[in-house]
Amino acid sequence: MNLLINEPPLQVLPSLAAKVGLNEAIILQQLHFKTLISAHIHDGHKWVFNSYQQWQNEFPFWSEKTIKRAIRKLEDDGYIFSTDEFNKYKIDKTKWYRLNYTKLGYLTMGQHDPSNETKCPDTWGQSDPTHEDKLTPSSRDTLTPPITKDIKSIKNNIVEELDIVHEIIGYLNQTALKNFKATTTATKRLINARLADGYTLEHFKCVIDTKVKQWLHNPEMNKYLRPDTLFNATKFEGYLNETQNVQPIQHNSSGPLDLDFSKGEDL
């Protein structure tokens, strides 16, 4: 019996398979690899398109029903997004897919628990961010690409996923129990402006952690756990400097909080 591999193998991490299922992990891995070499960009994201028949050509050891079942499970569990709105003709029902790198990042990087404290940088503000600071879990390639005949096409092409906005908003949503969209133009503008100022992903997480401690359980202040307040140019650095020895605000249960908002927001 020949036990040697004479064709490109599929690779998958056992830890990922244990989390999502073996079939689902194989599909996620292949989607990740295809995303790295995809040239199809919509709404600021790379997308991969395939019909179920085309997926079966890639996974000839599965039936079409098995592939459908695995993909639908990944969709239902929120690991992938899919749509057919990018097809040129309405009659074309080919599906487009992209990975939810925010959810996969929490899964693979151990950040799914918001109670895990973010270690704040020793310095902040106008520091020069390193290359690693700006990389999200997806761009650090936490999912190893499979060895296929197409691997040569990315040897000289360093792919960086510019998904840091989704990472930050995903962290805010999970930590502050919110439901903000990372695709909002104003939100993207705020985050990109702070990144241009030299702040990094860890700085954003520190600000979020600090203000969540102070405001999450305060009915008057909870509403300010939002991007336009937290990432505002005039407030961000001040919030960041509160990360040392921060004490949660105690809500006065004996009476209403006496706050004067007549002069506008000044938090």
Side-chain angles (χ1 to χ4, degrees):
M1 179 183 295
N2 185 6
L3 298 179
L4 298 177
I5 298 176
N6 294 323
E7 58 184 297
L10 289 171
Q11 293 182 327
V12 65
L13 292 176
S15 56
L16 180 62
K19 290 287 186 180
V20 302
L22 179 58
N23 292 357
E24 290 77 12
I26 292 174
I27 290 176
L28 283 176
Q29 179 60 67
Q30 191 68 1
L31 265 175
H32 174 64
F33 170 70
K34 293 174 75 68
T35 298
L36 291 178
I37 60 176
S38 173
H40 302 286
I41 300 178
H42 298 280
D43 300 330
H45 299 282
K46 287 186 174 183
W47 292 79
V48 175
F49 64 90
N50 253 356
S51 66
Y52 287 123
Q53 185 176 4
Q54 289 170 322
W55 280 124
Q56 193 176 24
N57 291 335
E58 297 195 34
F59 306 120
F61 43 85
W62 286 335
S63 67
E64 190 172 310
K65 287 184 178 180
T66 298
I67 295 172
K68 283 183 179 180
R69 185 164 56 248
I71 289 178
R72 287 173 180 171
K73 184 175 184 297
L74 290 171
E75 292 169 334
D76 292 341
D77 291 343
Y79 290 109
I80 62 175
F81 301 112
S82 63
T83 183
D84 61 4
E85 66 179 14
F86 303 135
N87 294 324
K88 187 174 182 181
Y89 303 105
K90 290 185 178 181
I91 196 173
D92 185 358
K93 296 303 180 182
T94 299
K95 293 180 73 173
W96 296 67
Y97 305 89
R98 73 174 177 88
L99 293 176
N100 183 350
Y101 279 114
T102 298
K103 183 164 185 175
L104 284 167
Y106 288 124
L107 180 70
T108 57
M109 298 292 287
Q111 298 172 336
H112 59 283
D113 185 358
S115 64
N116 290 341
E117 287 293 330
T118 301
K119 184 178 180 181
C120 298
D122 294 331
T123 59
W124 38 66
Q126 303 304 316
S127 60
D128 182 21
T130 63
H131 179 69
E132 276 295 309
D133 287 330
K134 290 191 174 183
L135 294 182
T136 62
S138 58
S139 58
R140 290 192 187 108
D141 200 14
T142 57
L143 301 176
T144 307
I147 301 174
T148 75
K149 63 182 179 181
D150 297 322
I151 197 69
K152 293 181 181 179
S153 65
I154 63 171
K155 282 185 176 180
N156 298 319
N157 181 24
I158 300 175
V159 180
E160 294 185 6
E161 287 293 336
L162 301 180
D163 209 17
I164 192 169
V165 175
H166 285 76
E167 176 76 2
I168 292 168
I169 297 303
Y171 188 82
L172 174 61
N173 286 339
Q174 289 212 10
T175 307
L177 306 178
K178 302 292 185 178
N179 191 31
F180 293 109
K181 292 183 178 179
T183 55
T184 303
T185 301
T187 296
K188 291 190 291 185
R189 185 184 299 117
L190 278 170
I191 292 176
N192 287 330
R194 302 294 75 75
L195 292 171
D197 288 340
Y199 298 105
T200 68
L201 175 61
E202 294 305 315
H203 295 138
F204 282 90
K205 289 185 176 182
C206 283
V207 167
I208 292 169
D209 286 343
T210 298
K211 305 318 286 185
V212 165
K213 282 182 180 180
Q214 296 176 341
W215 296 346
L216 182 63
H217 301 296
N218 187 319
E220 292 292 336
M221 306 303 290
N222 183 280
K223 61 186 176 183
Y224 295 112
L225 291 172
R226 61 193 186 196
D228 60 333
T229 297
L230 299 177
F231 311 144
N232 186 287
T234 62
K235 301 180 178 72
F236 190 83
E237 186 174 9
Y239 292 158
L240 194 54
N241 280 280
E242 295 177 17
T243 56
Q244 292 181 331
N245 301 320
V246 63
Q247 294 295 326
I249 293 177
Q250 298 296 324
H251 180 56
N252 184 4
S253 58
S254 62
L257 198 64
D258 185 14
L259 295 175
D260 182 7
F261 296 106
S262 62
K263 296 182 181 180
E265 183 182 316
D266 187 20
L267 304 173

